[in-house]
Amino acid sequence: MADEWLAWAKRVKVYPFFEARAPKTPQVANRPLDIRCRVTARSKSGVILAQGGRTHGYALHLEDGHLCFSVRVNGDVREVRGLEVPDGELDVRAVLDRQAKMKLFLNGELVGEGQAASLIPVEPQDELSIGLDTQTAVGNYQSPHPLDGDVEDVVIETE
């Protein structure tokens, strides 16, 4: 079954996929985050990028055509959900500021705001993954929740 999944993942270009272009897993414990990338999605749902899992972490993902930003702290997940995304290339940005306020931007426009429980207090165990959530899920989806699409120019800045 694992071999079939890997064959499928390679066929739809979501396996190791972006490793050569992906940034290294950033140190995010107790730090604000500023995440930016370009996305061209061919599916309405899937993980754009994720670091962490069911205890701590963050994820950018699409759900039923809506851009979402999830932050999980001590198992408590908070999600900001934007409007339905248009077709074509998307400039995506998500911010978790020092006060744990979450902001989600699409093509330069603010499309959602929310409040995380706190900054992520410890380093997530699951490394950064692009195009799917490789281990346990950060958001309210089932891993690996692959995105059929392209994720490029990923930049994750921390203080």
Side-chain angles (χ1 to χ4, degrees):
M1 184 178 203
D3 290 336
E4 291 175 20
W5 186 89
L6 288 174
W8 169 84
K10 289 176 182 176
R11 188 174 63 252
V12 298
K13 299 179 183 170
V14 297
Y15 175 74
F17 42 110
F18 304 88
E19 276 184 25
R21 292 180 282 163
K24 291 185 177 183
T25 299
Q27 300 295 302
V28 300
N30 293 309
R31 296 179 180 182
L33 298 171
D34 190 340
I35 305 157
R36 296 181 304 278
C37 61
R38 278 187 307 119
V39 178
T40 305
R42 291 180 290 278
S43 60
K44 296 280 187 186
S45 295
V47 172
I48 297 167
L49 59 84
Q51 180 182 349
R54 67 176 159 246
T55 306
H56 301 288
Y58 63 90
L60 273 171
H61 50 106
L62 293 175
E63 298 303 325
D64 300 318
H66 295 261
L67 181 63
C68 300
F69 177 38
S70 295
V71 174
R72 189 177 292 263
V73 174
N74 295 319
D76 175 27
V77 67
R78 307 284 175 92
E79 180 180 280
V80 173
R81 185 179 177 110
L83 301 173
E84 194 165 353
V85 299
D87 291 334
E89 188 176 276
L90 309 171
D91 286 318
V92 175
R93 182 178 180 210
V95 174
L96 177 65
D97 72 16
R98 188 148 294 283
Q99 289 72 43
K101 186 167 187 172
M102 302 164 64
K103 294 182 182 178
L104 184 60
F105 299 86
L106 178 62
N107 297 330
E109 292 186 37
L110 181 67
V111 295
E113 293 183 274
Q115 184 69 42
S118 70
L119 293 178
I120 300 165
V122 298
E123 290 304 323
Q125 289 185 351
D126 301 0
E127 293 184 344
L128 177 67
S129 55
I130 309 287
L132 74 166
D133 195 341
T134 57
Q135 296 181 33
T136 61
V138 174
N140 292 316
Y141 50 79
Q142 294 291 326
S143 287
H145 201 42
L147 176 73
D148 181 8
D150 300 313
V151 180
E152 300 176 307
D153 301 329
V154 174
V155 175
I156 301 169
E157 295 178 335
T158 62
E159 283 184 9

